[in-house]
Amino acid sequence: GAGVSQSPSNKVTEKGKDVELRCDPISGHTALYWYRQSLGQGLEFLIYFQGNSAPDKSGLPSDRFSAERTGGSVSTLTIQRTQQEDSAVYLCASRFQGGGVHNEQFFGPGTRLTVL
Amino acid sequence: GDSVTQMEGPVTLSEEAFLTINCTYTATGYPSLFWYVQYPGEGLQLLLKATKADDKGSNKGFEATYRKETTSFHLEKGSVQVSDSAVYFCALDAGGTSYGKLTFGQGTILTVHP
């Protein structure tokens, strides 16, 4: 079946512009995560959605970052007024949560963001 | 807070050599532990996991044992292949209210030469 998909695969933007990154999780997966992979910071958790519960935003680095998940499926990560330090690969992952088993997170291919 | 420390790379080995990549963690409670692998040009994939102390995760010839007494989860393989060249990440899930949220190590680049 289809895996986690992300778009665009690459995004080049100018400093100060806003960007939107999209994630389509695996159908039926109720948990969705955003991570950031950068040279200086490694892989960092950003935000976590679980069903209709309030998201865990504890990893968002600044108030320029926000994310939403519509209808419990597709998620959009928005970065406002981008800065050069936002350049990174943004990874989305989804997971079926339930059954009392620690289920695997499936990762998408990522969106490579370059801020000039 | 929770953290994962991996041995610094890169690691370069000849084919059929023995591999160890060290991983230690700091966490409260009883985390689950993972190794993820990222092959060139591909996304992150789960390699193996262990959810409680003394569990051994294994897959594709790789093994790691959850050692609570030493807070470690070292990755080993007896005989590496060129196709094992990739970046390896150790990670933990602290559970509780953080359930499912992964904390990753810095990653270790492995290159295997024929």
Side-chain angles (χ1 to χ4, degrees), chain A residues 80-98:
Chain A
Q80 296 179 308
R81 304 181 302 281
T82 52
Q83 304 295 312
Q84 289 182 331
E85 61 262 30
D86 299 335
S87 296
V89 176
Y90 289 83
L91 297 173
C92 177
S94 72
R95 185 166 68 94
F96 175 75
Q97 189 148 323

Side-chain angles (χ1 to χ4, degrees), chain B residues 24-97:
Chain B
T24 56
Y25 68 90
T26 301
T28 55
Y30 303 94
S32 295
L33 302 174
F34 307 84
W35 278 99
Y36 278 82
V37 59
Q38 189 171 35
Y39 297 104
E42 298 185 17
L44 271 173
Q45 304 172 27
L46 179 65
L47 180 60
L48 54 84
K49 69 180 182 184
T51 57
K52 62 182 187 296
D54 300 325
D55 269 2
K56 178 186 283 187
S58 61
N59 186 25
K60 299 182 180 179
F62 291 89
E63 293 183 340
T65 301
Y66 186 161
R67 301 286 188 200
K68 187 167 176 62
E69 64 276 13
T70 55
T71 62
S72 65
F73 193 55
H74 305 321
L75 182 69
E76 296 182 338
K77 187 174 185 181
S79 176
V80 294
Q81 306 300 312
V82 172
S83 57
D84 293 327
S85 298
V87 184
Y88 292 81
F89 294 91
C90 186
L92 71 81
D93 176 355
T97 57

Side-chain angles (χ1 to χ4, degrees), chain A residues 14-89:
Chain A
E14 294 179 347
K15 177 181 172 180
K17 301 284 190 182
D18 297 352
V19 296
E20 287 190 349
L21 312 179
R22 177 187 168 106
C23 171
D24 282 88
I26 294 172
S27 177
H29 282 192
T30 54
L32 187 147
Y33 307 80
W34 284 97
Y35 296 88
R36 178 169 70 173
Q37 186 175 18
S38 57
L39 279 177
Q41 301 297 323
L43 262 163
E44 307 170 274
F45 164 79
L46 296 177
I47 188 168
Y48 159 49
F49 295 90
Q50 169 52 34
N52 296 320
S53 302
D56 175 353
K57 305 179 184 179
S58 60
L60 294 179
S62 77
D63 58 7
R64 296 186 295 104
F65 288 71
S66 62
E68 62 178 20
R69 188 177 185 192
T70 54
S73 181
V74 171
S75 178
T76 302
L77 177 69
T78 301
I79 309 173
Q80 296 179 308
R81 304 181 302 281
T82 52
Q83 304 295 312
Q84 289 182 331
E85 61 262 30
D86 299 335
S87 296
V89 176

